[in-house]
Amino acid sequence: VGLVDEHEEDREAGEDDDGPFLVINGDILTSVNFRSLLNFHKENEGVCTVCVRDYNVQIPYGVVDVSGGRVNEISEKPTMRYFVSAGIYVVDPLVLGQVKADEYLDMPQLVKDSIARGMKVASFPIHEYWLDIGRIDDLQRARDDFDEVFRS
């Protein structure tokens, strides 16, 4: 998601200082409880909160840890576990000071810049329904899931 500071005049007038706001990638379908997310953000006193999801990658081969030509360890077909960005963020207005007028800045870079400045960035694991519908197959899955997830 790219941000352009189109609201610089509003910020200077103090109109954006009401509190944290949500930034959500446009291709995300989720049932995350946004009230819980905002409460978490406030309780953790970070300038930004990044929603994360568990993501497992099954390696189809044995993975060998090598240093200096010597095998230290071998793991047969391990599953690697990562936290990935869910494309949902809570941002404090303070962070908008990092956004320059008419300059492209995406959320990962805004998060990196905040960390580099020593600002606290929190992570919020989400366990609710979440789907990135940026691919045709996932869009069809969202259509199939919608009634069950959102109309029950």
Side-chain angles (χ1 to χ4, degrees), residues 111-125:
V111 169
K112 287 179 191 178
D113 291 349
S114 297
I115 293 167
R117 287 181 169 88
M119 299 174 163
K120 182 178 178 183
V121 175
S123 66
F124 181 81

Side-chain angles (χ1 to χ4, degrees), residues 7-151:
H7 302 288
E8 184 173 348
E9 293 170 7
D10 292 342
R11 192 173 68 239
E12 288 173 0
E15 294 179 26
D16 284 343
D17 294 335
D18 293 333
F21 58 92
L22 291 168
V23 177
I24 304 172
N25 291 5
D27 57 357
I28 301 299
L29 181 63
T30 185
S31 64
V32 70
N33 184 319
F34 293 115
R35 185 174 314 279
S36 294
L37 171 57
L38 286 168
N39 288 339
F40 174 90
H41 174 77
K42 290 174 185 176
E43 290 168 6
N44 283 277
E45 300 177 346
V47 296
C48 185
T49 297
V50 178
C51 290
V52 296
R53 296 272 306 169
D54 271 331
Y55 188 78
N56 296 315
V57 179
Q58 175 71 50
I59 307 297
Y61 309 104
V63 173
V64 181
D65 176 32
V66 177
S67 68
R70 184 178 179 148
V71 173
N72 297 316
E73 184 180 354
I74 187 167
S75 301
E76 186 61 24
K77 299 180 182 176
T79 299
M80 309 301 286
R81 180 177 178 229
Y82 299 97
F83 281 120
V84 297
S85 171
I88 303 170
Y89 309 84
V90 180
V91 181
D92 279 352
L94 170 70
V95 175
L96 291 179
Q98 298 176 57
V99 181
K100 295 184 178 114
D102 300 323
E103 183 176 301
Y104 177 85
L105 180 67
D106 61 18
M107 286 304 299
Q109 190 61 53
L110 185 69
V111 169
K112 287 179 191 178
D113 291 349
S114 297
I115 293 167
R117 287 181 169 88
M119 299 174 163
K120 182 178 178 183
V121 175
S123 66
F124 181 81
I126 59 173
H127 306 285
E128 297 87 351
Y129 181 88
W130 176 91
L131 186 62
D132 179 327
I133 57 174
R135 298 179 320 153
I136 296 295
D137 291 346
D138 292 327
L139 179 58
Q140 185 57 50
R141 180 174 163 205
R143 288 179 179 144
D144 294 342
D145 292 351
F146 192 85
D147 284 339
E148 179 182 333
V149 174
F150 296 100
R151 293 193 180 152

